[in-house]
């Protein structure tokens, strides 16, 4: 008959078991500290990646639309000789073939009209090309 092997814990005294539990507890504490440091490093790396925007994920997210002219040039073309509001100008630029994937395109048009020296504000929210 084969004799069953006893585990090493079965042969330990109570004092030896306490010492083993303390040793394992220290290892767990050490590993938890190491894990926390690694999480902190990972958060730093994630923050650095976020600074690069959607391109950081290997091209994940929206792709930027390509146009033959800048938004400023396209706006100048639709506002030349006419007065429009920001929403009308945004719609006219897109109708003229300007491509965008921006969720806030109207805001981008508004900023371009305000910042560029090519446009003149004729009334509140109304612009024309110079």
């Amino acid at each position: 008959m084969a004799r069953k092997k006893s585990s090493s814990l079965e042969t330990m005294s109570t004092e030896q078991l306490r010492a083993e539990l303390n040793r394992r507890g220290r290892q767990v504490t050490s590993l938890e500290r190491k894990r926390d440091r690694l999480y902190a490093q990972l958060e730093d790396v994630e923050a650095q990646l976020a600074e690069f925007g959607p391109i950081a994920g290997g091209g994940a997210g929206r792709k930027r639309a390509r146009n033959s002219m800048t938004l400023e040039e396209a706006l100048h073309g639709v506002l030349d000789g006419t007065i429009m509001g920001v929403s009308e100008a945004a719609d006219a630029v897109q109708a003229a073939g300007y491509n965008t994937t921006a969720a806030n395109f109207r805001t981008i048009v508004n900023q371009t009209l305000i910042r560029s020296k090519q446009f003149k504000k004729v009334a509140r929210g109304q612009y024309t090309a110079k």
Side-chain angles (χ1 to χ4, degrees):
M1 233 202 241
R3 193 169 158 201
K4 184 179 173 187
K5 256 187 168 178
S6 62
S7 77
S8 61
L9 293 177
E10 290 176 357
T11 61
M12 287 185 170
S13 68
T14 305
E15 193 59 37
Q16 289 172 322
L17 286 171
R18 280 192 194 119
E20 180 63 20
L21 286 172
N22 286 336
R23 185 187 68 77
R24 290 181 184 191
R26 286 189 303 273
Q27 281 183 323
V28 168
T29 302
S30 174
L31 288 170
E32 287 173 338
R33 277 190 296 238
K34 183 177 181 179
R35 178 196 59 201
D36 293 342
R37 281 193 308 271
L38 289 171
Y39 276 144
Q41 287 177 347
L42 179 60
E43 287 174 1
D44 288 344
V45 169
E46 292 288 350
Q48 290 172 11
L49 283 171
E51 290 176 11
F52 289 103
I55 60 167
R62 281 194 305 229
K63 295 203 183 239
R64 185 174 178 192
R66 298 290 175 201
N67 293 291
S68 61
M69 62 179 76
T70 66
L71 177 58
E72 195 171 333
E73 293 168 341
L75 281 168
H76 195 276
V78 297
L79 287 174
D80 196 23
T82 185
I83 297 171
M84 287 187 192
V86 176
S87 295
E88 293 172 300
D91 292 341
V93 164
Q94 286 183 297
Y98 188 85
N99 296 314
T100 181
T101 58
N104 56 348
F105 184 62
R106 185 196 174 283
T107 303
I108 295 168
V109 168
N110 189 41
Q111 290 173 350
T112 304
L113 291 170
I114 291 169
R115 291 180 182 163
S116 175
K117 296 184 191 286
Q118 291 190 33
F119 305 105
K120 178 181 176 184
K121 184 176 182 179
V122 289
R124 184 172 185 230
Q126 300 290 309
Y127 296 88
T128 189
K130 285 186 178 179

